[in-house]
Amino acid sequence: MASETELLSPQMGRPGVRRLSSVTATFDELSLGPSVVVPEKHMHEPSDAHETAASLGMAKHRLNSISAGMPVISTPSTPPATSVTDTYAFAFDIDGVLVRGGKPIPEAIEAMKVLNGANEYGIKVPYIFVTNGGGKTEEERCLDLSRQLELEISPGQFICGHSPMREMAEKYGTVLVVGGEGEKCRQVAEGYGFKDVVTPGDIIKDNKHTTPFRKLTQEEKDHSRARNFGEEEIEAIFVFADSRDWAGDQQIILDLLMSVKGRLGTRSETFDEGPPIFFSHNDIVWSASHQLTRLGMGALRASLEAMFKAITGKELQSTAFGKPQIETFQFATRLLQQWRKDTHGIDSPPATVYFVGDTPESDIRGTNEYNDSPLSENTWYSILVRTGVFQEGTKPRFTPKATVDTVLDAVKHGMKREMQKSMKSQVVDASLVDEGVIVEE
């Protein structure tokens, strides 16, 4: 019987890429090297999504190795034969675009099939996922989405809001990580290479009076680590995911921000001696199972800034990653450029990337600002869907190039637009714009 974890044979797909079942795969297995997560029904035969997933997994592995100064798997001197186009690609937000409330949006499954070859043009189109959602590793998100969409996916296709924090692991020693469920954010931070990771639970365990109205459960006490914070300095604060306890987490964060060099129990006279604080994204609201949007990490950031100013009279200096920050789009461009070099022998990114999102303030703003930035090496085309944060009847604060009903409409619009470009048409052909699609370009 074949193992659930096996190196792909040439007949099964790309050499050097491990094939893992979405049912049995573990975090440790996914962390061993380039891999793809496969729905059980496709475990012993290649799926239409394999080529894109495996090649992007290899590309991401090369980028991470270069960043960490590790030996790099060489780029193929002769790119393999492929049916995947290299001239354009798609980038998708997840919540409100592909998934809502943990369940797939029906059109998302069909959209992935279209990208993987079930289309009138007979081609496959590469795609990545760029999400502000935090509190999980790229590997965990890969497992979740593979199960939800019943799709073969690689962790290499994911860029999370907190992914750039990986590059700060060597800069800071003892750090506080906030947000998420249980110990997950600590595990993510340690997986990124942070050597001494503290959680709010550790601080409350050391001094139960830190948060007068929050008491640790027995499970939290068991997982929290005992230490003496009166003798330690916390060098930086990282909000990896949405807080599950705004009152307690904000109290601890404010204590540190107003401290002397991150030492709990001290209070700076100038209020500028505390550790820096970083947020994995700045979304004020997000699309969940509820019919109305829910508060996100950006709301926590705004609350902390207001309280810090009310107490100290000073503006809080903080840094946010994720969308709409340009660095996120730069990394996505580097990933697609490495993929194109590996698969087509061309050392430049695809000419156009279609970004599909549901939040004007992060998805659309970030795409537009990066596209207009001198740092952009290619065209980023923003598409807004009506299945998430954006509500029909309102005017988005940041105008997308196109507005569509669903992610499937977005995929069809982008592919038709590329076909029109390939025919070198100089005018917009009305027959290439589906009903319900609003084009602003």
Side-chain angles (χ1 to χ4, degrees):
M1 179 179 292
S3 168
E4 295 290 359
T5 302
E6 57 188 82
L7 195 65
L8 288 173
S9 67
Q11 292 75 26
M12 288 290 287
R14 190 170 292 270
V17 178
R18 304 170 71 248
R19 206 158 190 258
L20 308 173
S21 166
S22 63
V23 176
T24 61
T26 66
F27 173 77
D28 289 340
E29 289 175 324
L30 285 166
S31 301
L32 291 175
S35 57
V36 291
V37 173
V38 188
E40 192 65 27
K41 63 183 180 182
H42 295 306
M43 194 59 209
H44 302 294
E45 60 181 21
S47 71
D48 291 335
H50 172 75
E51 188 174 359
T52 292
S55 58
L56 277 161
M58 290 293 288
K60 181 78 166 291
H61 182 71
R62 287 192 179 92
L63 284 183
N64 288 342
S65 296
I66 292 170
S67 176
M70 299 169 58
V72 181
I73 301 173
S74 61
T75 297
S77 56
T78 303
T82 178
S83 61
V84 182
T85 182
D86 70 301
T87 58
Y88 67 103
F90 278 83
F92 298 100
D93 182 28
I94 297 177
D95 292 315
V97 175
L98 302 172
V99 175
R100 184 162 186 169
K103 296 181 180 180
I105 292 172
E107 291 84 0
I109 295 174
E110 184 63 27
M112 295 299 107
K113 291 179 181 178
V114 171
L115 290 173
N116 288 312
N119 58 71
E120 60 191 284
Y121 312 115
I123 61 170
K124 295 180 180 180
V125 183
Y127 51 91
I128 58 175
F129 308 102
V130 185
T131 176
N132 277 349
K136 293 183 179 180
T137 63
E138 291 84 348
E139 289 79 9
E140 285 182 279
R141 288 204 167 274
C142 177
L143 281 171
D144 288 344
L145 197 61
S146 177
R147 293 164 183 163
Q148 289 162 339
L149 298 184
E150 297 185 353
L151 181 69
E152 182 168 346
I153 308 176
S154 165
Q157 291 173 274
F158 284 79
I159 299 173
C160 297
H162 49 59
S163 294
M165 293 179 179
R166 183 191 299 268
E167 299 175 356
M168 308 181 80
E170 294 299 320
K171 183 175 182 179
Y172 297 107
T174 302
V175 300
L176 172 70
V177 297
V178 178
E181 299 175 0
E183 294 286 292
K184 285 187 176 180
C185 283
R186 194 200 307 261
Q187 294 165 1
V188 173
E190 290 176 343
Y192 281 0
F194 287 96
K195 298 176 179 61
D196 188 16
V197 181
V198 172
T199 68
D202 298 344
I203 293 171
I204 298 171
K205 185 172 184 175
D206 178 55
N207 183 351
K208 65 181 181 181
H209 302 298
T210 301
T211 53
F213 305 113
R214 179 186 174 187
K215 309 299 178 186
L216 297 180
T217 65
Q218 188 57 51
E219 182 180 4
E220 289 173 326
K221 289 179 182 178
D222 293 341
H223 286 107
S224 296
R225 300 173 185 175
R227 52 199 302 170
N228 182 358
F229 287 101
E231 300 177 354
E232 300 189 34
E233 293 181 359
I234 294 175
E235 298 176 23
I237 304 165
F238 292 91
V239 184
F240 267 68
D242 290 309
S243 169
R244 269 50 173 182
D245 174 33
W246 273 42
D249 288 347
Q250 288 187 100
Q251 179 67 72
I252 290 169
I253 291 171
L254 285 168
D255 282 347
L256 284 171
L257 292 173
M258 297 186 293
S259 71
V260 178
K261 296 183 178 180
R263 190 179 289 265
L264 286 164
T266 66
R267 186 58 55 93
S268 170
E269 294 182 0
T270 58
F271 301 116
D272 59 3
E273 301 176 86
I277 182 168
F278 304 91
F279 296 83
S280 66
H281 66 85
N282 196 40
D283 284 351
I284 298 291
V285 296
W286 65 293
S287 178
S289 300
H290 198 274
Q291 66 268 29
L292 301 177
T293 55
R294 304 288 87 185
L295 292 176
M297 190 182 298
L300 176 69
R301 184 187 186 191
S303 177
L304 279 166
E305 290 174 344
M307 286 191 290
F308 185 83
K309 185 170 185 178
I311 296 171
T312 69
K314 293 189 173 184
E315 300 289 341
L316 175 62
Q317 302 300 314
S318 63
T319 302
F321 296 104
K323 301 167 292 183
Q325 309 306 318
I326 281 179
E327 291 80 6
T328 297
F329 295 88
Q330 286 181 297
F331 185 82
T333 300
R334 291 198 299 273
L335 172 58
L336 290 169
Q337 178 170 338
Q338 182 66 54
W339 167 84
R340 196 183 191 204
K341 181 180 179 181
D342 293 350
T343 58
H344 293 80
I346 302 172
D347 194 10
S348 61
T352 303
V353 179
Y354 292 92
F355 193 100
V356 185
D358 71 311
T359 308
E361 288 73 17
S362 58
D363 298 324
I364 306 308
R365 176 186 178 184
T367 305
N368 291 351
E369 289 183 352
Y370 181 60
N371 182 64
D372 295 338
S373 165
L375 298 173
S376 178
E377 303 174 43
N378 55 352
T379 297
W380 280 69
Y381 184 100
S382 57
I383 305 179
L384 181 65
V385 295
R386 299 182 177 101
T387 51
V389 170
F390 173 66
Q391 298 295 316
E392 186 64 28
T394 63
K395 182 176 176 58
R397 183 178 172 190
F398 298 91
T399 305
K401 296 294 186 182
T403 303
V404 301
D405 288 333
T406 71
V407 64
L408 178 58
D409 298 317
V411 167
K412 290 181 176 179
H413 172 67
M415 294 183 75
K416 285 184 176 182
R417 184 173 181 270
E418 289 299 313
M419 182 57 62
Q420 181 182 19
K421 286 165 60 178
S422 70
M423 294 187 297
K424 298 182 179 179
S425 173
Q426 299 302 310
V427 296
V428 176
D429 185 343
S431 67
L432 293 176
V433 179
D434 288 329
E435 184 179 354
V437 178
I438 300 174
V439 179
E440 301 288 348
E441 59 180 317

